[in-house]
Amino acid sequence: MTIEYDVALVGASPSNLTLAHRLVDLADRPIRIAILEKAREIGGHLLSGAVSNPRVISKLFPDWDHSDFPLEGVCRESFLTVASHRRWESVDRLFMPPYFKKEGYAIINISDMAAYMAKKLAEKAAAKPGVVVDMFPGFPARGVVFEGEGVAGVKVDDTGKPEDDILRAKVTVFGDKGFVSRDLIKKFNLRKNPQLYSVGVKEVWETPKSYQGKVWHTLGYPLMTGHLGGGFIYGCKDNRLIIGMVMALDYANPNIRPPQVLQEFKRHPNVQDMIRGGKLLKYGAAILPEGGYYSLPEKFAVDGAMLVGDALGTLDLKRFSGVDKAMESGYVAAEVIWEAYTRGRFNAETLGVYQRRLMEGWVGRELADSRYYREVFNDYPELLDSFIPRIIEGVNSGKSVWYAAMQAGLADIGGAFRLLGARKKMENPSDGMPPAKHTEDRLHIDPAFKAPPRDMPPDPAPNTVYSTADVVFYAHTHYEEGNRHIDEFDAKVCDKCIAQYDAAGKDTPCVGDCTAEVHQTLEKGGKRRHAMALENCVQCTTCEIVCPPVNLRVNAAFHGFGPNFMGL
Amino acid sequence: MSDGLKIVVLIKQVPDTSSAAGVNPDGTVDRARAKKMMNPFDKFALQKALESRRDHGGEIVAISMGPPPAIEVLNEALEYGADKGYLLSDRRLAASDTLATAYALFKTIEWIGGVDLVFTGLQTTDGDTAQTGPQIAERMGLAQVTYTETMKITGRTIRASRIIDGGLQHVELQMPALITVANSASKLEYKTFANVYKFKELARDPKALEGRVRAIDLDVIGANAARVGLVGSPTVVGKTWKLGEKGGTCKIFKGDAPAHEAQLLAGALAADGQGMEELLK
């Protein structure tokens, strides 16, 4: 059956929900909006840190900090902390880069926020005659319907026969994490510079003490020397604590083992002090499209379609600013859609106004100002390979971060000067520098990678650290028969990859980087073969990103299958 | 039968077993606060109803009994493809046991009239009695098959097999009949996008929706209020208690290799007299 709406939103993401809110606010005549969402309930597949600048939240919910808005807390104190395996020291506020200061920011779980936004959206729409907002949780878009030079809608899954139901719309807005939008981007060859990703893993704990309003961002342990990433700890209400790790995927190590890195983070004595005697409530994982400015598509809209949020890639790694920029992209897109709706034309020209307006606004300005931030870590490998490790060493021997940084600088004065240039590029780039060039994450992986030596903290308190198999249980995944949502294109390609990594004494990247024990190699007929325990899958898509021969594709699972990230 | 079958399916809204919301400290459930769901057993009854209509045509009427918000479960039945829904909702029904509930539902089915088939689930996840279905059949004087695994309709004749200890019992009966459907009878189908969409369109027009799904009370169906609710329920709940948490100690077997660990475990079980000697041979 073909079903028609004026606006089809792919994914109930913060960006698309903001878009719908703004569009309903603007609507002074009838309009019909449909929201497709693969999770069983709105918010069920959303995961983020998150400490967010409330600049867009406050536009939609002016009373966000004193209403029923699902706020975990307002940040009162934030720290940038350098961790060795047994000590940690926070950077003196005087030397703390401004974008690590999160005071006044909203601490939120975006799954809860999305559920709240959906509830408020339904109420808002019901109060406006002729304005229809239909939400379809459990129904993912499974493919783009291309027509002419543009997009006419999406295919919607129907009991495993995707050809059955089609959602057509005057404009289709993609706010997904790539499950569907990558087809659009590929078809029109919109992204010339590949997207870069990090993988984030997160747990929510109930702790004996309350840390509400406190925010830590950490560097160093447990990441290996040379690996870009860090830890985060956010204090929530009701004695809950968010603990997470973010790790870049453009790293040589084929076996990052993200859930175990998070377990190692929890072994740190300072983290142990917080969680000892506490209880793990939830676990989840997600990817962060963090290529930033130079990974943005050439066009943000084509005939009948637009890209917002993570589908577009608005995350600003320098400011840890993802949720607010994604929401703003939806906010701006809504205004452009309303203008196009009024004129009755939804082509690349009318919708393309969105790109100019977004890039001229604060989203574009900030992304432009952070445009070299990500590249610097690849251009100045000494930053992660020697300079920061030397600071960590200093911290480990009892020095303050400031003193350790001075020592690290003095140990290599030439290098320190070079790094001053890097800092300028990160913080305040001048015009006229050539654009950053990204290489796909998978091309950084090296089967011959040798793990640098690493010290470990003392043994953790009981029931604070888990095996991957145990922690995945806390993602509350639910699947039934017929859940083949990851395609393996060619088994022979997998066999070859396994043989190559076996020879190097490693697991393949799909196994070694999986966040939920999905990918395995099993002995079958005297040969090691690729196998998947799909019932564990949290749909993070890391495997697809790191698969060296590009042999995996993660599709949106149907019928609401997958993890339950509510409260994460 | 050119018009096809008139099918009734009985559906109950129960507390969602995956959520702890609304569970009181003493173990009782506050139904107003609890998250709710369609009784999972009833999904199989609904599935069989949909299959029967697909094969033989006709109309599916879903019936539920409960407080006004329970109308959600009938809306959900429509999303799955049912044609109509009636919620029997009346304050006088509060605290009805299975006997009183069966009476009230029997009066509802009688009020609908001309019913060929009544499908129910095996039991509910909250009451767990499996009594209501058979009691309705007895009240109505209908032929009934419980624990139905397979069924085939030819004209007015139903050939069915029901699960019994050690196998299946094959029975033949005439319509009208009541069938309680086993969980293994069918593979559940999911809601389709088109059906969910159609229901949303329907729900936009309150009048049209009321033509398909509405609440009725005891007076509408002409039931005797003295036979329902607390006064009509002979069942007395003597006592409820909470099952204690199972204690026990955990022992971890550490060996050189998985096979060795399995040996240690099996050895310990055998020593414990758990009948592992056989397995070890």
Side-chain angles (χ1 to χ4, degrees), chain A residues 1 3 5 32 132 134-136 139 156 158 165 480 559 561, chain B residues 35 187 189-198 200-201 204:
Chain A
M1 182 173 168
I3 292 163
Y5 282 83
R32 286 160 49 87
V132 167
D134 284 343
M135 289 177 246
F136 295 93
F139 292 98
V156 182
D158 178 0
D165 281 332
E480 285 165 24
H559 307 318
F561 289 164
Chain B
K35 206 175 157 196
K187 188 177 174 313
E189 288 169 23
Y190 298 91
K191 291 176 202 174
T192 65
F193 182 62
N195 270 347
V196 173
Y197 169 76
K198 281 181 201 154
K200 283 186 192 293
E201 286 284 291
R204 273 190 249 290

Side-chain angles (χ1 to χ4, degrees), chain A residues 37-41 43-47 137-140 142 179 282-285 472-486 515-516 518 533-541 554-566 568, chain B residues 18 190:
Chain A
E37 167 56 42
K38 68 186 164 67
R40 177 180 301 236
E41 53 188 315
H45 285 179
L46 290 176
L47 184 146
F139 292 98
R142 298 269 289 174
F179 292 97
K282 279 228 155 158
Y283 165 79
V472 167
F473 174 76
Y474 289 87
H476 297 264
T477 56
H478 173 84
Y479 288 96
E480 285 165 24
E481 231 181 299
N483 62 345
R484 276 204 65 90
H485 64 279
I486 303 182
T515 59
V518 174
L534 285 165
E535 64 275 18
N536 288 347
C537 184
V538 297
Q539 302 181 14
C540 72
T541 72
V554 187
N555 302 303
F558 32 78
H559 307 318
F561 289 164
N564 178 354
F565 285 166
M566 297 313 293
L568 255 187
Chain B
S18 71
Y190 298 91

Side-chain angles (χ1 to χ4, degrees), chain B residues 98-137:
Chain B
T98 57
L99 191 72
T101 303
Y103 168 75
L105 291 171
F106 141 65
K107 291 299 279 185
T108 313
I109 297 167
E110 204 181 53
W111 171 75
I112 289 166
V115 172
D116 299 304
L117 275 170
V118 181
F119 287 107
T120 78
L122 287 186
Q123 65 211 65
T124 58
T125 50
D126 55 352
D128 260 332
T129 65
Q131 291 168 356
T132 308
Q135 285 184 16
I136 293 168

Side-chain angles (χ1 to χ4, degrees), chain A residues 469-529:
Chain A
D470 281 352
V471 80
V472 167
F473 174 76
Y474 289 87
H476 297 264
T477 56
H478 173 84
Y479 288 96
E480 285 165 24
E481 231 181 299
N483 62 345
R484 276 204 65 90
H485 64 279
I486 303 182
D487 294 336
E488 177 198 295
F489 297 124
D490 185 347
K492 284 201 190 92
V493 173
C494 284
D495 292 349
K496 228 176 109 185
C497 180
I498 290 168
Q500 185 195 0
Y501 280 87
D502 266 355
K506 300 274 176 18
D507 281 331
T508 54
C510 62
V511 177
D513 292 349
C514 180
T515 59
E517 290 238 313
V518 174
H519 296 275
Q520 301 159 10
T521 37
L522 295 179
E523 185 112 1
K524 204 171 152 195
K527 215 172 167 191
R528 303 228 302 138
R529 310 293 296 266

Side-chain angles (χ1 to χ4, degrees), chain A residues 368-534:
Chain A
D369 157 78
S370 308
R371 64 191 185 277
Y372 294 110
Y373 187 84
R374 188 65 178 74
E375 191 198 24
V376 160
F377 293 99
N378 290 333
D379 274 9
Y380 298 80
E382 64 266 41
L383 187 59
L384 289 166
D385 287 345
S386 58
F387 186 66
I388 290 175
R390 261 186 248 132
I391 299 177
I392 295 166
E393 191 105 322
V395 165
N396 193 45
S397 58
K399 307 284 189 310
S400 74
V401 180
W402 163 239
Y403 190 85
M406 281 291 287
Q407 271 190 325
L410 289 171
D412 176 11
I413 292 179
F417 270 106
R418 236 174 84 78
L419 287 178
L420 281 179
R423 185 172 168 181
K424 163 116 179 59
K425 211 171 168 185
M426 288 165 109
E427 294 194 354
N428 187 18
S430 46
D431 298 334
M433 283 193 274
K437 271 292 228 204
H438 297 160
T439 36
E440 284 174 81
D441 292 319
R442 59 169 63 90
L443 300 175
H444 291 259
I445 299 171
D446 176 10
F449 172 80
K450 279 207 170 45
R454 204 164 47 133
D455 292 318
M456 275 303 196
D459 279 350
N463 304 321
T464 54
V465 168
Y466 294 82
S467 71
T468 302
D470 281 352
V471 80
V472 167
F473 174 76
Y474 289 87
H476 297 264
T477 56
H478 173 84
Y479 288 96
E480 285 165 24
E481 231 181 299
N483 62 345
R484 276 204 65 90
H485 64 279
I486 303 182
D487 294 336
E488 177 198 295
F489 297 124
D490 185 347
K492 284 201 190 92
V493 173
C494 284
D495 292 349
K496 228 176 109 185
C497 180
I498 290 168
Q500 185 195 0
Y501 280 87
D502 266 355
K506 300 274 176 18
D507 281 331
T508 54
C510 62
V511 177
D513 292 349
C514 180
T515 59
E517 290 238 313
V518 174
H519 296 275
Q520 301 159 10
T521 37
L522 295 179
E523 185 112 1
K524 204 171 152 195
K527 215 172 167 191
R528 303 228 302 138
R529 310 293 296 266
H530 175 237
M532 293 183 279
L534 285 165

